[in-house]
Amino acid sequence: MSLPILLTVDDDPSVSRAVARDLRRRYGRDYRVMRAGSGADALDALREIKLRGETVAAILADYRMPRMNGIEFLEQAMDLFPHARRALLTAYADTEAAIQAINVVDVDHYLLKPWDPPEEKLYPVVDALVETWRAVGDRSVEEIKVVGHRWSEPSYRVRDFLARNAVPYRWYSVDEPEGRRLLEAAAAGPDDIPVVITPDGQALSRPSGTEIASAAGLSTDPAGEFYDLIVVGGGPAGLGAAVYGASEGLRTVLVEKKATGGQAGQSSRIENYLGFPDGVSGAQLTDRARRQARKFGAEVLTARGVVALETRGSARVVRFEDGSEIAAHSIVLATGVMYRALDAEGCADLTGRGVYYGSASTEAQACEDEDVYIVGGANSAGQAAVFFSRHARSVTLLVRGKDLAQSMSHYLIEQIRAIDNIDVRLRTSVVAARGDRHLEELTLCEAGSGRTETVPTGHVFVFIGAAPHTDWLGDTLTRDAHGFVCTGPDLLVEGHRPAGWTLDRDPYYLESSVPGVFVAGDVRAQSVKRVASAVGEGAMAVTLVHRYLEER
């Protein structure tokens, strides 16, 4: 019997040869690697393969090809080999097109070029493709379906949750015939949206985060009751702590309420992170860190909100929203910060319906040829402005301060200046948002003059302030006036240790007012609000955890 085929399609001969070479090196014994220089040539090859009765396991197609791009090719290739797994080769600038292709033509993965080293960037993706192909054979791949309304805030929350957790799904609007048919089959109506339909056919109306996570196959229940280390929060600091904790032999569990990556996970492109000279998206960085943590044996729990932290003898206990709890010898608190709500008339009612907090990549396609507004003057706002400039007709950055240099990195300021469709308006804030079913206009106010202006728009993305999510701690840990958790030297008042401190030593640098509870990343008072420093603090916290455990 002939070997199944791995087909690559790229109009650049050097890229085509390189990907075929790398594929043969790893898969040559079990698969026949073929390559084509255009979509048309590839379709001819697939027709011949079909006539010979051979099978195609996976197809890797370049996105930017003349006459027929990768998405158009894959649409036609599906008619010939509907069960072959599909991946899109793309440059960073076309990442959003690749993400949208997941819904358009059932693309399983996308790969950014260049993929060096292939052991890290190419082979894990192709491994997943061929494993899926082997597992399902000629059966269709199971998928999650979401039925909702574009301007429904609960529908947006479901889509955002799935996208941020890298869960492929298919979106159906209730305004489309297929969406209405699915609602009818689920015995649901417009008042029940969003409806999430699981791969086994179960319909969930207005599901909770835990229900969505379970439907998506994400882990929500801990495997044990006691660990060496509990990491609360899955941003860069939490992921760093989980990777280093698990790799150094600690029984580690990471608990995240929404999606790993935190605010950094929503960044369209981080260019000043060490080791990534061409930049890296927050989603890519998060996915690698999550896989790395799991590789070393860390558990990752999603959609589990922690509501209390307690001390019971030498154990440190966290309690979940449903009343269940887990305990450990030590805890790393890395809950990060949230964007502050925009204090403007009408914004609260339009959240998720034109007013968004963070860079909502799920809305990028809807912003095509639209006028988009970004509120904020720090790096996250600048990155969002650059990202949406590739989709929107115009992007206006609204900055309350007098210049960008106060809060934004120089490289990002220079990028923004070089993009023609980005306009920066300084000393300007939003005072009102209005719309019927969704956002339709903003009222802006210019500081100093007090002059107001009403502008039409359907999309505003907010990146202001940094509010720590620490109210649930109550009086358990010492916090500053803004809610950030105090650690190490900041806990010493005139040389005295914090009240209730039980050890005959001062708190370690990242240690809170409760021994064995460490704090890393943006939630820590006096921390540097950068991805690299958060990862470093996560790693440093694990070193201090080891010191603490040696004392016991």
Side-chain angles (χ1 to χ4, degrees):
M1 183 178 293
S2 60
L3 295 175
I5 292 167
L6 301 179
L7 175 65
T8 73
V9 191
D10 200 303
D11 65 305
D12 186 327
S14 62
V15 174
S16 180
R17 286 192 297 269
V19 69
R21 176 201 65 213
D22 288 340
L23 290 176
R24 288 193 182 99
R25 184 187 305 161
R26 184 177 180 99
Y27 306 100
R29 290 179 56 186
D30 301 312
Y31 297 87
R32 184 153 63 97
V33 177
M34 296 180 60
R35 60 190 182 95
S38 69
D41 290 345
L43 289 173
D44 288 341
L46 287 174
R47 294 185 186 101
E48 185 176 340
I49 293 168
K50 189 76 172 180
L51 291 174
R52 292 201 303 261
E54 296 179 288
T55 57
V56 178
I59 304 171
L60 286 74
D62 182 51
Y63 172 64
R64 285 185 178 268
M65 293 189 293
R67 293 182 293 279
M68 181 188 298
N69 67 33
I71 296 176
E72 294 167 339
F73 160 70
L74 289 174
E75 283 185 292
Q76 297 186 48
M78 286 173 61
D79 295 333
L80 294 166
F81 290 92
H83 305 299
R85 308 323 318 148
R86 296 167 288 276
L88 204 61
L89 295 170
T90 180
Y92 178 82
D94 300 315
T95 299
E96 185 58 32
I99 294 173
Q100 295 299 330
I102 291 175
N103 280 336
V104 175
V105 292
D106 284 338
V107 169
D108 299 287
H109 291 277
Y110 67 90
L111 281 161
L112 289 180
K113 298 188 291 186
W115 57 84
D116 290 328
E119 290 77 13
E120 294 181 13
K121 298 183 178 181
L122 175 65
Y123 296 153
V125 170
V126 179
D127 284 347
L129 293 175
V130 298
E131 285 171 9
T132 302
W133 178 77
R134 284 176 174 172
V136 303
D138 287 337
R139 293 179 287 115
S140 60
V141 177
E142 297 178 336
E143 64 178 12
I144 288 178
K145 301 180 181 69
V146 180
V147 185
H149 193 282
R150 176 186 173 188
W151 299 117
S152 158
E153 195 269 340
S155 297
Y156 164 72
R157 283 205 311 267
V158 171
R159 294 168 60 201
D160 188 58
F161 178 87
L162 292 171
R164 291 182 61 187
N165 281 285
V167 177
Y169 67 93
R170 185 175 292 277
W171 165 257
Y172 298 89
S173 171
V174 293
D175 295 328
E176 300 171 354
E178 185 62 21
R180 291 193 291 270
R181 284 192 287 267
L182 285 170
L183 280 185
E184 182 179 355
D191 293 338
D192 299 311
I193 63 170
V195 173
V196 174
I197 302 171
T198 65
D200 61 2
Q202 181 184 5
L204 306 174
S205 297
R206 302 178 71 89
S208 66
T210 303
E211 289 174 325
I212 299 169
S214 297
L218 301 174
S219 179
T220 59
D221 296 317
E225 296 180 355
F226 198 90
Y227 298 83
D228 293 319
L229 173 63
I230 299 172
V231 181
V232 183
L239 287 166
V243 167
Y244 283 94
S247 68
E248 294 176 13
L250 298 179
R251 289 169 298 165
T252 302
V253 58
L254 183 149
V255 181
E256 169 55 46
K257 185 174 184 179
K258 292 183 179 178
T260 50
Q263 285 188 358
Q266 295 178 279
S267 295
S268 55
R269 192 177 190 184
I270 304 168
E271 293 193 69
N272 58 349
Y273 190 74
L274 185 67
F276 291 88
D278 298 320
V280 60
S281 74
Q284 287 177 293
L285 196 62
T286 296
D287 179 63
R288 293 181 182 186
R290 182 173 52 231
R291 287 192 284 115
Q292 199 171 14
R294 286 177 173 150
K295 166 189 169 184
F296 289 122
E299 289 182 47
V300 179
L301 306 182
T302 307
R304 294 305 299 264
V306 176
V307 297
L309 186 154
E310 301 175 14
T311 299
R312 296 179 191 165
S314 62
R316 304 293 178 259
V317 181
V318 296
R319 189 167 69 249
F320 297 123
E321 293 170 318
D322 62 359
S324 62
E325 57 185 36
I326 54 175
H329 292 304
S330 59
I331 290 175
V332 171
L333 191 66
T335 51
V337 295
M338 304 174 293
Y339 293 115
R340 295 187 187 277
L342 191 60
D343 185 18
E345 176 190 341
C347 279
D349 293 335
L350 292 169
T351 299
R353 297 188 292 133
V355 177
Y356 305 98
Y357 289 88
S359 183
S361 60
T362 54
E363 295 300 308
Q365 189 175 31
C367 293
E368 291 287 345
D369 298 321
E370 298 288 334
D371 297 316
V372 170
Y373 286 77
I374 309 287
V375 182
N379 278 10
S380 53
Q383 291 161 355
V386 173
F387 171 71
F388 282 108
S389 71
R390 297 194 293 269
H391 303 274
R393 176 172 53 214
S394 71
V395 175
T396 303
L397 190 60
L398 305 175
V399 184
R400 190 168 54 180
K402 62 180 180 180
D403 62 61
L404 287 174
Q406 291 179 318
S407 54
M408 190 178 293
S409 295
H410 176 73
Y411 82 90
L412 204 47
I413 296 173
E414 293 301 308
Q415 278 190 19
I416 289 171
R417 286 174 177 166
I419 299 175
D420 292 337
N421 65 333
I422 297 181
D423 179 35
V424 179
R425 296 185 58 170
L426 302 174
R427 298 173 60 81
T428 303
S429 57
V430 177
V431 295
R434 299 182 183 88
D436 184 11
R437 298 173 63 194
H438 59 87
L439 177 67
E440 296 174 2
E441 62 182 31
L442 295 174
T443 299
L444 312 180
C445 180
E446 186 179 279
S449 68
R451 185 176 65 88
T452 62
E453 175 188 3
T454 298
V455 294
T457 184
H459 294 85
V460 59
F461 299 89
V462 183
F463 301 83
I464 56 172
H469 177 53
T470 57
D471 290 344
W472 60 277
L473 288 169
D475 297 328
T476 307
L477 303 182
T478 300
R479 296 179 289 156
D480 68 12
H482 302 288
F484 293 91
V485 182
C486 300
T487 60
D490 292 337
L491 292 169
L492 303 179
V493 180
E494 297 181 353
H496 296 290
R497 294 164 184 161
W501 185 259
T502 58
L503 301 181
D504 189 23
R505 63 163 174 80
D506 291 346
Y508 291 131
Y509 184 71
L510 298 180
E511 197 167 20
S512 71
S513 55
V514 173
V517 177
F518 298 84
V519 187
D522 291 359
V523 72
R524 188 179 68 83
Q526 308 300 322
S527 66
V528 178
K529 305 299 188 282
R530 288 290 186 267
V531 175
S533 62
V535 173
E537 287 191 7
M540 182 179 176
V542 171
T543 299
L544 298 177
V545 165
H546 280 293
R547 288 190 197 174
Y548 169 76
L549 294 178
E550 290 169 0
E551 298 170 351
R552 300 174 67 258

